Amino acid sequence: PGGSAGCRWSVLQPGESLRRRVGADGETETARRLWRVWRPALVRSMIVAPAAERNKEPILRVIRRQLKAAEPALALELASGSGQHTVHFAQAMPTVVWQPSELEQRSLESISAYIAATRVENVKQPLNIDCAQSWEHWGGLQPNTFDLILNINMIHISEMKCTKGLFKGASQLLKPNAVLITYGKSILGFERCEHITEAC
């Protein structure tokens, strides 16, 4: 339960052929840039999810409509996956402090690696959160704390108890009039997903 964000991901290995691993869908250049600029020790921990590279900008546009760029805010991302989304949003909106989270240890390590590599100062270290558990067990998060909660590509790949936990937790952790944003195929239904297939 509490699956990672992203439809598929790859782990970079020292000396591995990036072209063979990632193909020509845009991830190749991203991976090369990561390898060239960031320390190999960090890159080895970083998951590169093609879906996150494709959909991070469309999702950011939605977030910008909900949070005022000049005002401080606190955002929680549940099932953060690789960490690509979190650091991208943090760089684009420096007044928003992000709290990422994940269940899988491999993803938690990837998120921490992205934070270290990008040196973003408005992203906290990830919490180990299982959305299937009650929000009281989500790392000591306090009620009525967050201005926004974000969940990307979890609902349609996880058990129903994760979805129930997500909504129950959001109802307790969000401030009054704050927003929960979910993204994934489950929002529109598979038969109506044609126009967002490149971002799914």
Side-chain angles (χ1 to χ4, degrees), residues 110-195:
S110 179
I111 296 167
S112 293
Y114 272 99
I115 294 171
T118 57
R119 299 181 181 179
V120 286
E121 297 182 353
N122 55 324
V123 179
K124 298 181 179 182
Q125 286 300 313
L127 295 175
N128 189 340
I129 291 179
D130 183 353
C131 288
Q133 301 296 319
S134 176
W135 68 272
E136 290 94 344
H137 301 287
W138 291 4
L141 299 180
Q142 297 301 306
N144 302 316
T145 300
F146 293 96
D147 300 282
L148 181 142
I149 294 178
L150 177 66
N151 179 252
I152 300 172
N153 282 335
M154 184 198 79
I155 294 176
H156 67 285
I157 63 170
S158 60
E159 299 176 58
M160 180 58 68
K161 60 184 179 180
C162 297
T163 302
K164 291 180 177 179
L166 165 67
F167 282 91
K168 288 180 180 178
S171 70
Q172 297 297 318
L173 297 175
L174 286 169
K175 296 177 181 178
N177 302 315
V179 178
L180 166 65
I181 297 176
T182 63
Y183 174 93
K185 294 181 180 180
S186 56
I187 304 303
L188 296 178
F190 290 96
E191 73 281 4
R192 295 178 57 196
C193 197
E194 299 88 356
H195 69 291

Side-chain angles (χ1 to χ4, degrees), residues 11-12 31 34-35 38-47 106 113:
V11 180
L12 304 181
L34 296 179
W35 187 264
W38 296 332
R39 296 195 303 270
L42 284 177
V43 176
R44 280 195 295 270
S45 298
M46 297 163 74
I47 296 168
R106 181 70 188 83

Side-chain angles (χ1 to χ4, degrees), residues 20-146:
R20 175 174 58 81
R21 169 63 75 94
V22 301
D25 62 357
E27 188 187 359
T28 301
E29 181 56 32
T30 298
R32 285 175 177 157
R33 188 167 61 252
L34 296 179
W35 187 264
R36 183 172 62 250
V37 177
W38 296 332
R39 296 195 303 270
L42 284 177
V43 176
R44 280 195 295 270
S45 298
M46 297 163 74
I47 296 168
V48 179
E53 287 299 305
R54 292 192 297 268
N55 63 34
K56 63 186 183 183
E57 276 298 321
I59 296 173
L60 176 60
R61 289 196 292 269
V62 174
I63 295 172
R64 287 186 188 277
R65 293 201 295 266
Q66 303 299 328
L67 298 177
K68 296 180 180 179
E71 294 185 3
L74 182 60
L76 169 66
E77 185 181 14
L78 293 168
S80 299
S82 65
Q84 289 162 264
H85 285 123
T86 309
V87 297
H88 181 72
F89 302 151
Q91 290 172 323
M93 304 184 71
T95 61
V96 180
V97 175
W98 286 87
Q99 174 61 74
S101 68
E102 249 297 342
L103 175 61
E104 299 177 356
Q105 183 61 35
R106 181 70 188 83
S107 295
L108 290 166
E109 293 171 358
S110 179
I111 296 167
S112 293
Y114 272 99
I115 294 171
T118 57
R119 299 181 181 179
V120 286
E121 297 182 353
N122 55 324
V123 179
K124 298 181 179 182
Q125 286 300 313
L127 295 175
N128 189 340
I129 291 179
D130 183 353
C131 288
Q133 301 296 319
S134 176
W135 68 272
E136 290 94 344
H137 301 287
W138 291 4
L141 299 180
Q142 297 301 306
N144 302 316
T145 300
F146 293 96

